[in-house]
């Protein structure tokens, strides 16, 4: 098993600097023990003009068989001969990928203590692999699809089964040569991930820590790769649970990067703290129905202070008692009002934007009129809980076709949201910073453009009626603003005028003659199709949402995995993470 890495240079930047990057001296032949054989590193040439580093990996198939107990690639117990006569010592597979990581670990990390400026420099590289196994379909075509988007020029030539008998056709192996100007660390990461992907198998059991390895090695390039789904499935040996986990984490990382935030700040729609029995009750307790909090009340617990999640759970903890005292909780009244508004429009296909843990989605599925519900939330954990609460894995096929749960941020336009009869933003807008609200307006009213939009938000005037809410405080730690009735009316009228909708306002909950109802609802209806969309000057940013739809079937299918389907076509500034 052989791979060579070559580069060229000048007197100012000699090619022999490759030795510094690889941490292997050009004048030495070095030997390294790996888990399944011995790796030899040597330099066929090392000068100012040209330098080549070669890695030769000697594999002991018998030792590999004994370690894997016949469960590795080509190691079926029913094929005794294949256990000992196979391509593992010769073809570049996961064995070579592991050897690259073992021998060139520092180079793969981009570390060079002696010449710290070198790892960041792009070099003219040529990588040669005489035998690369390619599983399934067009071998050279798959190699091209995997490496070309990363900046490589690909020369993949099929290896014939026997040169003396060309009529026998080609084998599944290709002679591969990659040329391009890249950082050496990036080139090694590409090989580490894509060699096992091409082979379609690994010589060891794929454990959950393989997800961390994949995301670390794919940082900076995997998220944007057009064959991302195939790479994840094959790298993780088609284990659908790991594929789903990797896809969710990758999508969340992209959303966080696009919004210049940490992933932990975004994916926190579910409190980490199970219960806070001694915490004081606050005004938001009137908005919850159980001690675990509903999606409307505590769907997002991103607090600016260290006690944010604790306060959110404490608010929900007092909710059950408050709800029992009043009869129907405010959360239930909101859902009733939303369903009534949707019924007046006759909406059959509905978006629940900021669906949280799926309470409204469940209520919509009980409506015979509703044929399709798409729930959107940025939190993969909230979506997982929603799927479990809705028992999506146990629903009859006819019912399961009615509902989808997808991951995405609401301030980025998403082609999947187009074509629906109605959309719901239940207790969502107040979780955005005001400068980011126009991004949500454009994404929902301008780009998705459903026939109707129902928006609910707290009425700030009603806060004085909450005896447990200190003066000047908002109902929830994560609320960035709470509007009076006049402020909400002004906003709805402006949005309706900008995007061609009409709007009606109505109260939700008990109406106080002085301060109104605790919740205010706006029901937008599309007046007429717009000829042009509003102009937004912000540069586009593409993000990758994650869906809970089953993965595609076929030779690379991984089962009912979560799959990413990029469809964001424009991204004004901001991010709605509810």
């Amino acid at each position: 098993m052989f791979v060579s890495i070559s580069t060229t240079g000048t007197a100012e930047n000699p090619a022999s600097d490759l030795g510094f990057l690889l941490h292997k001296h050009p004048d030495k032949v070095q030997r390294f023990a790996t888990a399944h054989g011995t790796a030899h590193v040597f330099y066929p040439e090392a000068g100012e003009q040209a330098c080549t580093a070669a890695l030769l990996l000697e594999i002991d198939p018998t030792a590999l068989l004994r370690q894997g107990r016949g469960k590795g690639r080509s190691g079926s117990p029913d094929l005794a001969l294949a256990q000992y006569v196979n391509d593992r010592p010769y073809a570049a597979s996961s064995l070579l990928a592991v050897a690259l990581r073992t021998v060139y670990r520092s180079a793969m990390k981009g570390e060079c203590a002696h010449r710290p400026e070198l790892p960041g420099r792009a070099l003219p590289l040529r990588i040669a692999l005489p035998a690369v196994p390619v599983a399934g379909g067009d071998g050279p075509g798959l190699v091209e699809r995997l490496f070309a988007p990363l900046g490589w020029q690909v020369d993949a030539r099929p290896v014939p089964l026997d040169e003396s008998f060309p009529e026998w056709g080609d084998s599944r192996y290709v002679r591969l040569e990659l040329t391009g100007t890249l950082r050496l660390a990036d080139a090694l990461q590409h090989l580490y991930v894509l060699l096992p992907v091409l082979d379609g198998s690994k010589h060891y059991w794929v454990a959950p820590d393989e997800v961390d390895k994949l995301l670390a090695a794919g940082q900076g390039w995997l998220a944007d790769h057009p064959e991302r789904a195939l790479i994840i499935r094959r790298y993780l040996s088609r284990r659908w649970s790991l594929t789903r986990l990797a896809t969710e984490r990758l999508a969340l990382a992209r959303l966080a990067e696009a919004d210049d935030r940490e992933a932990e700040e975004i994916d926190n729609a579910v409190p980490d703290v199970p219960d806070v029995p001694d915490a004081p009750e606050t005004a938001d307790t009137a908005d919850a129905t159980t001690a675990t909090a509903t999606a409307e009340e505590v769907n997002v617990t991103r607090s600016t202070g260290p006690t944010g999640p604790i306060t959110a759970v404490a608010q929900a903890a007092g909710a059950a008692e408050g709800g029992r005292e009043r009869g129907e909780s405010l959360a239930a009244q909101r859902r009733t009002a939303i369903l009534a508004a949707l019924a007046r429009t006759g909406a059959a296909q509905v978006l629940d934007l900021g669906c949280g843990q799926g309470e409204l989605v469940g209520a919509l599925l009980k409506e015979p009129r509703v044929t399709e519900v798409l729930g959107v939330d940025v939190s993969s954990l909230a979506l997982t809980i929603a799927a479990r609460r809705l028992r999506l894995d146990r629903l009859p096929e006819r019912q399961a076709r009615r509902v989808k749960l997808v991951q995405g941020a609401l301030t980025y336009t998403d082609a999947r949201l187009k074509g629906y009869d109605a959309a719901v933003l239940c207790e969502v807008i107040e979780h955005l910073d005001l400068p980011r609200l126009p991004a949500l307006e454009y994404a929902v009213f301008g780009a998705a453009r459903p026939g109707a939009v129902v928006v609910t938000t707290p009425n700030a005037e009603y806060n004085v009626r909450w005896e447990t809410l200190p003066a000047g405080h908002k109902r929830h730690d994560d609320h960035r603003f709470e509007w009076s009735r006049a402020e909400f009316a002004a906003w709805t009228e402006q949005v309706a005028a900008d995007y061609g909708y009409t709007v009606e306002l109505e109260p939700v909950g008990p109406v106080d003659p002085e301060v109104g109802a605790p919740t205010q609802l706006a029901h937008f209806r599309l007046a007429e199709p717009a000829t042009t969309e509003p102009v937004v000057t912000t540069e586009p940013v593409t993000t990758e949402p994650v869906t809970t739809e089953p993965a595609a079937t076929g030779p690379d299918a991984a089962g009912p995995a979560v799959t990413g389907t990029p469809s964001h076509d424009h991204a004004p500034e901001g991010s709605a993470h509810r």
Side-chain angles (χ1 to χ4, degrees):
M1 195 181 301
F2 181 85
V3 59
S4 66
I5 303 174
S6 303
T7 188
T8 57
T10 63
E12 294 78 17
N13 297 301
S16 56
D17 284 347
L18 184 64
F20 287 101
L21 286 169
L22 294 174
H23 297 261
K24 304 295 180 286
H25 199 287
D27 294 337
K28 297 180 180 179
V29 176
Q30 296 176 270
R31 178 183 300 176
F32 303 88
T34 71
H36 304 287
T38 303
H40 305 269
V41 176
F42 56 95
Y43 288 76
E45 59 179 343
E48 289 185 354
Q49 302 298 321
C51 183
T52 299
L55 187 151
L56 176 66
L57 180 62
E58 291 184 304
I59 295 295
D60 182 352
T62 304
L64 183 63
L65 170 65
R66 290 171 180 168
Q67 282 189 343
R69 297 181 181 178
K71 297 179 182 179
R73 182 164 60 88
S74 301
S76 170
D78 299 327
L79 301 174
L81 184 61
Q83 295 178 352
Y84 298 95
V85 181
N86 52 58
D87 64 355
R88 283 172 287 182
Y90 314 106
S93 63
S94 60
L95 290 164
L96 182 58
V98 171
L100 286 170
R101 183 185 178 96
T102 302
V103 176
Y104 297 142
R105 182 178 299 272
S106 297
M108 195 173 290
K109 293 180 179 179
E111 299 175 351
C112 184
H114 295 291
R115 299 282 301 279
E117 77 282 0
L118 286 181
R121 183 186 303 169
L123 303 176
L125 297 174
R126 179 174 61 85
I127 297 177
L129 294 131
V132 177
V134 183
D138 176 22
L142 179 58
V143 176
E144 180 80 21
R145 282 158 39 208
L146 292 180
F147 282 97
L150 301 175
W152 293 103
Q153 294 180 356
V154 180
D155 183 4
R157 302 181 183 181
V159 176
L161 286 170
D162 192 318
E163 293 181 353
S164 302
F165 300 92
E167 64 273 14
W168 289 3
D170 297 326
S171 68
R172 75 184 191 101
Y173 304 96
V174 299
R175 294 186 181 94
L176 177 59
E177 184 173 297
L178 303 170
T179 56
T181 302
L182 294 88
R183 294 170 60 247
L184 179 64
D186 295 335
L188 293 173
Q189 300 283 21
H190 297 166
L191 292 176
Y192 177 75
V193 172
L194 297 182
L195 288 180
V197 170
L198 286 170
D199 190 24
S201 180
K202 285 194 172 183
H203 68 278
Y204 56 88
W205 174 252
V206 176
D209 64 343
E210 290 297 298
V211 174
D212 297 325
K213 295 178 184 178
L214 172 63
L215 297 184
Q219 187 174 7
W221 61 271
L222 179 58
D224 297 321
H225 200 292
E227 298 292 340
R228 177 187 64 259
L230 180 144
I231 292 171
I232 293 174
R233 286 199 303 271
R234 286 197 172 197
Y235 183 88
L236 297 172
S237 296
R238 300 172 179 83
R239 292 191 60 189
W240 72 266
S241 59
L242 298 184
T243 300
R244 178 179 63 185
L245 176 61
T247 308
E248 288 177 350
R249 289 178 54 184
L250 188 63
L252 186 63
R254 296 204 63 197
L255 290 172
E257 181 181 1
D259 203 35
D260 194 23
R261 306 180 71 176
E262 296 295 329
E264 293 77 9
E265 295 182 68
I266 296 177
D267 193 5
N268 60 359
V270 179
D272 295 328
V273 185
D275 195 12
V276 187
D278 298 326
E281 185 176 318
T282 70
D284 239 13
T285 61
D287 290 355
T289 57
T290 67
T292 55
T294 65
E296 288 88 345
E297 279 62 50
V298 196
N299 187 32
V300 177
T301 56
R302 296 188 309 276
S303 173
T304 55
T307 61
I310 296 177
T311 304
V313 176
Q315 293 166 350
E321 188 64 32
R324 284 192 294 268
E325 292 176 357
R326 295 187 315 276
E328 188 180 38
S329 70
L330 183 57
Q333 294 179 62
R334 269 200 300 268
R335 284 194 291 273
T336 300
I338 291 169
L339 293 175
L342 295 175
R344 292 196 296 271
T345 67
Q349 297 175 303
V350 182
L351 296 167
D352 183 4
L353 304 177
C355 66
Q357 299 175 39
E359 287 85 354
L360 181 59
V361 173
L364 288 167
L365 291 177
K366 295 177 182 178
E367 297 288 320
R369 180 194 72 260
V370 177
T371 60
E372 182 180 352
V373 181
L374 179 65
V376 182
D377 202 283
V378 77
S379 170
S380 60
L381 178 57
L383 292 172
T384 300
I385 294 175
R388 186 167 62 244
R389 284 184 170 181
L390 297 169
R391 299 183 179 182
L392 295 186
D393 58 336
R394 302 179 186 178
L395 287 178
E397 183 179 353
R398 183 177 178 182
Q399 278 285 84
R401 286 199 299 264
R402 296 174 64 203
V403 59
K404 296 179 186 176
L405 301 178
V406 302
Q407 186 179 27
L410 301 183
T411 51
Y412 300 109
T413 60
D414 189 340
R416 298 171 304 173
L417 308 186
K418 296 181 178 180
Y420 281 79
D421 299 329
V424 178
L425 290 161
C426 179
E427 307 300 284
V428 171
I429 61 173
E430 64 272 12
H431 291 275
L432 276 73
D433 293 320
L434 279 171
R436 297 179 174 182
L437 194 55
L440 179 142
E441 296 167 10
Y442 174 78
V444 175
F445 294 90
R449 205 160 184 77
V453 182
V454 179
V455 181
T456 71
T457 192
N459 171 19
E461 297 171 74
Y462 197 90
N463 290 351
V464 297
R465 296 295 185 256
W466 303 120
E467 296 180 359
T468 56
L469 182 64
H473 283 228
K474 297 180 177 65
R475 299 188 195 179
H476 191 284
D477 290 339
D478 190 60
H479 286 185
R480 308 308 168 88
F481 62 87
E482 289 177 356
W483 277 332
S484 67
R485 288 171 290 175
E487 290 170 326
F488 184 57
W491 176 77
T492 59
E493 291 171 4
Q494 183 63 53
V495 170
D498 288 345
Y499 294 98
Y501 284 78
T502 62
V503 63
E504 298 177 2
L505 302 180
E506 64 181 77
V508 178
V511 179
D512 185 283
E514 296 181 3
V515 297
T519 294
Q520 41 194 344
L521 180 149
H523 188 186
F524 295 86
R525 297 193 189 190
L526 190 60
E528 58 185 19
T531 55
T532 59
E533 293 185 347
V535 177
V536 179
T537 58
T538 312
E539 290 294 324
V541 177
T542 302
T543 62
E544 296 297 333
V546 178
T547 77
T548 56
E549 299 174 75
T553 58
D556 294 316
V562 174
T563 61
T565 54
S567 58
H568 288 9
D569 52 20
H570 192 84
E573 181 186 358
S575 176
H577 297 304
R578 166 82 166 49

